[in-house]
Amino acid sequence: MSYAKKMQEIWAAYVDEHGEEPSAIGDCFEWATRKGLWKPRPTDVSKIFNREMADALREQTRTDASGREYRAVICVREKKGGVQLSLWGDADSAPQAFVEKAFRQRRDSLVDGAYKLKMDADHFNEFRKPDVPIQLVLDLTMDVEEREALRKAEAEDDDAEKKSA
């Protein structure tokens, strides 16, 4: 049985015993450890380092001359010799093919998330039959344009503030 499946079974047992949803994972943790259903797995220090470094690199940003904040370091996942690797490169100097692959993978991740969200909403609407079905707008064009306009307005406000100071 996979580790994820075991964790799902612990959650199901917690909900069965407590009969309350939504529930906090922290409450489930306390219950599962008290009952001896879960113990921390042995830790591989290199995995901890890799995860923490990846988180730090994902957070690293720069601002270009036009005032756009962008990720300074980008990632491509690929298999080499049957091993899954995450390769990292500087957004300003990595080869274009690497950058294109990184962007394609990030876009695919967005599409996967949108697809799963749509399946969840469709399921809810079909099987729960709410009086007002949940409507999703998956075209994010306007949302992105609004954020871009907000960024420009904030930059203009900052410039005006600096000039008046």
Side-chain angles (χ1 to χ4, degrees), residues 31-135:
W31 173 83
T33 52
R34 193 172 50 250
K35 290 196 150 258
L37 299 174
W38 181 86
K39 291 183 177 120
R41 296 186 284 185
T43 333
D44 179 341
V45 178
S46 69
K47 286 182 181 179
I48 294 171
F49 175 85
N50 292 347
R51 183 180 60 247
E52 291 178 359
M53 179 61 76
D55 290 346
L57 293 176
R58 256 186 236 99
E59 290 178 18
Q60 186 178 356
T61 60
R62 295 186 188 121
T63 303
D64 67 17
S66 297
R68 280 184 296 263
E69 188 176 350
Y70 65 99
R71 283 190 180 175
V73 185
I74 56 178
C75 177
V76 167
R77 287 178 185 76
E78 59 183 50
K79 281 193 174 183
K80 285 192 177 179
V83 176
Q84 178 78 26
L85 297 175
S86 294
L87 305 175
W88 295 83
D90 189 287
D92 293 333
S93 60
Q96 183 168 339
F98 181 86
V99 175
E100 288 173 354
K101 189 170 185 178
F103 290 171
R104 188 172 50 252
Q105 288 180 353
R106 282 177 59 195
R107 185 182 186 285
D108 288 347
S109 179
L110 291 171
V111 171
D112 288 344
Y115 173 77
K116 290 173 185 171
L117 176 60
K118 183 176 184 322
M119 294 302 101
D120 294 347
D122 289 351
H123 168 79
F124 178 87
N125 289 336
E126 182 176 344
F127 290 95
R128 298 272 299 269
K129 300 186 186 333
D131 292 335
V132 179
I134 295 173
Q135 299 296 313

Side-chain angles (χ1 to χ4, degrees), residues 143-156:
D143 301 85
V144 172
E145 288 173 358
E146 284 175 12
R147 293 227 179 144
E148 205 167 24
L150 180 62
R151 181 198 58 84
K152 287 179 184 175
E154 287 172 347
E156 289 170 3

